[in-house]
Amino acid sequence: MQNQRGEGFSWLDMKPGIERNINYLSRRPKDKAAVKYGRMKVTWGMLKRTNEEMLELLPRLENEPELLNERFIWYSMVPRTLLTGYYEPYLEASLTPNPNYPYPLYSIPTDLKTLDLGKFHHRWKGQHLIYRQEADEVVPYYDREDIDFKGALQGKKLEIAWVKDLVDVFILQIQGSGRLVLPDGSVRHVLYAGKNGLKYVSLGKVLIERGLLPKEGMSMQKIKAFLDANPELVEELLTTNPSYVFFRLDDEGPFGSMGAPLIPMTSVAVDSRVLPLGSLALLTTRLPQQGENGKTPFTRIVMAQDRGGAIKGTRVDLFCGSGPEAEYLAGHLTSWSHVYLPVSRALVEEMEAVK
């Protein structure tokens, strides 16, 4: 197995991320299954041991890449899968009300409630109901139309910032985190804090189904350009996605679902029922290049350190970083890919010897 590392990559860049994986995995029950693939059970302890061995090898891999084959068995656990991308958008914003920044970002409302359905029946284990209470009735939480166009949250002192463009708010909610550029030039991180629990609907698919944009070459940039050119359709189109995300401010970020900072071009968001958080994985794919035709090969060991509301099944979402290049890549990345899970060869041999 060869690793085509990509420009500017150093194996030692992975050290902080692997250390965070180990810290996360150390808090999981060692012998409990993290995931099962057919008859094969991968425990949290196996994932931790694999991370520890990878960490030990990092200083040697620059000159001895063959160690990756010698020390690990690479399992093709996930069939060919779709790779997409996400990034940290920049938004012009104000932390105080300002007529030049009319659109609010909201923190989690106090009347948003979450119910663990697994407490009621084992078949619902891991499922949660997000709701609000209206008199004596449990009802779905407010949707995008209620919040952005009917003022459902106005007057509740939930605003944490105000931005210039409502479409930018929509894009920020899809990405999950971003950076606010304030009038004095300073920057604050704005991070995912929760959601309203309603179904996510892809605006790109809506535009294609309505014949407003072609499927070929669909990207976030084309969606934004279409909305900018057709302001009269913004409300109608944005409200086709009832899902709504709430945020919090921080001086650092972005953070993934493990609570650890994300690493550009290395951290990935996954469905943790398919690829557990804290996993290492070999990703092989082809990436679009700005200003060039076609795609270039990309092979890298990535880390499952985040989840996403729209990331289901085998799909993998690559964190592309921040800035114009990251925005372009995340907006255009839809590539078929292969994912391989490494497991310590020594550990596998130890387990087979015990049988």
Side-chain angles (χ1 to χ4, degrees), residues 18-235:
I18 294 179
E19 290 174 339
R20 294 173 190 130
N21 283 355
I22 294 170
N23 183 53
Y24 173 81
L25 295 168
S26 296
R27 302 193 299 270
R28 312 298 295 176
K30 177 181 177 181
D31 297 321
K32 186 176 180 180
V35 67
K36 291 182 179 179
Y37 302 105
R39 295 182 178 180
M40 182 173 179
K41 179 177 78 171
V42 180
T43 67
W44 295 108
M46 293 168 68
L47 295 176
K48 180 172 177 283
R49 171 85 172 261
T50 299
N51 272 272
E52 289 170 340
E53 291 195 23
M54 186 67 74
L55 182 64
E56 175 192 340
L57 291 179
L58 288 181
R60 301 172 58 187
L61 290 176
E62 189 69 34
N63 297 315
E64 302 176 80
E66 66 275 6
L67 291 172
L68 292 170
N69 275 331
E70 294 176 10
R71 296 287 291 272
F72 303 100
I73 299 175
W74 299 84
Y75 292 96
S76 179
M77 298 301 189
V78 178
R80 189 176 75 146
T81 186
L82 180 65
L83 177 70
T84 53
Y86 65 117
Y87 75 107
E88 263 196 308
Y90 287 84
L91 293 84
E92 293 183 82
S94 172
L95 300 184
T96 57
N98 185 317
N100 294 322
Y101 303 86
Y103 302 107
L105 300 178
Y106 292 109
S107 61
I108 295 180
T110 55
D111 62 344
L112 185 149
K113 308 295 182 182
T114 303
L115 183 65
D116 183 355
L117 295 177
K119 293 181 178 180
F120 294 85
H121 198 287
H122 65 87
R123 284 185 297 184
W124 299 331
K125 183 178 180 181
Q127 298 184 49
H128 294 82
L129 177 69
I130 298 176
Y131 67 98
R132 63 185 177 90
Q133 200 159 346
E134 195 171 85
D136 294 329
E137 186 180 4
V138 170
V139 296
Y141 202 74
Y142 298 115
D143 63 15
R144 182 174 303 278
E145 183 176 12
D146 294 327
I147 296 171
D148 279 345
F149 300 103
K150 295 184 177 180
L153 300 184
Q154 286 182 1
K156 297 187 177 184
K157 298 182 179 180
L158 298 170
E159 297 89 350
I160 59 170
W162 290 260
V163 302
K164 283 190 172 182
D165 189 340
L166 184 60
V167 175
D168 286 344
V169 174
F170 185 84
I171 293 173
L172 174 67
Q173 292 187 354
I174 294 173
Q175 304 306 320
S177 65
R179 301 188 189 192
L180 304 183
V181 182
L182 305 179
D184 64 0
S186 62
V187 176
R188 292 291 301 274
H189 287 274
V190 59
L191 307 178
Y192 174 92
K195 58 185 179 181
N196 66 349
L198 299 179
K199 180 182 178 182
Y200 173 84
V201 175
S202 167
L203 180 54
K205 289 184 178 179
V206 171
L207 291 169
I208 293 169
E209 289 169 357
R210 295 188 180 186
L212 297 173
L213 283 178
K215 182 176 181 179
E216 184 179 357
M218 173 61 73
S219 69
M220 184 61 70
Q221 287 82 357
K222 288 189 176 181
I223 293 173
K224 189 174 190 311
F226 179 87
L227 294 174
D228 289 344
N230 298 274
E232 73 283 1
L233 296 178
V234 167
E235 179 175 350

Side-chain angles (χ1 to χ4, degrees), residues 247-316:
F247 296 97
R248 64 184 176 88
L249 294 175
D250 206 308
D251 293 325
E252 298 180 307
F255 297 94
S257 300
M258 284 172 35
L262 298 175
I263 303 172
M265 304 305 292
T266 300
S267 296
V268 294
V270 297
D271 183 336
S272 55
R273 296 169 299 182
V274 176
L275 195 63
L277 292 180
S279 300
L280 298 172
L282 177 68
L283 173 70
T284 66
T285 190
R286 298 176 69 84
L287 300 182
Q289 298 297 305
Q290 192 165 1
E292 298 180 15
N293 294 324
K295 299 182 178 182
T296 59
F298 179 83
T299 303
R300 182 169 296 184
I301 294 175
V302 295
M303 306 182 203
Q305 297 181 322
D306 200 7
R307 287 187 288 248
I311 309 304
K312 303 295 183 184
T314 63
R315 178 180 161 191
V316 174

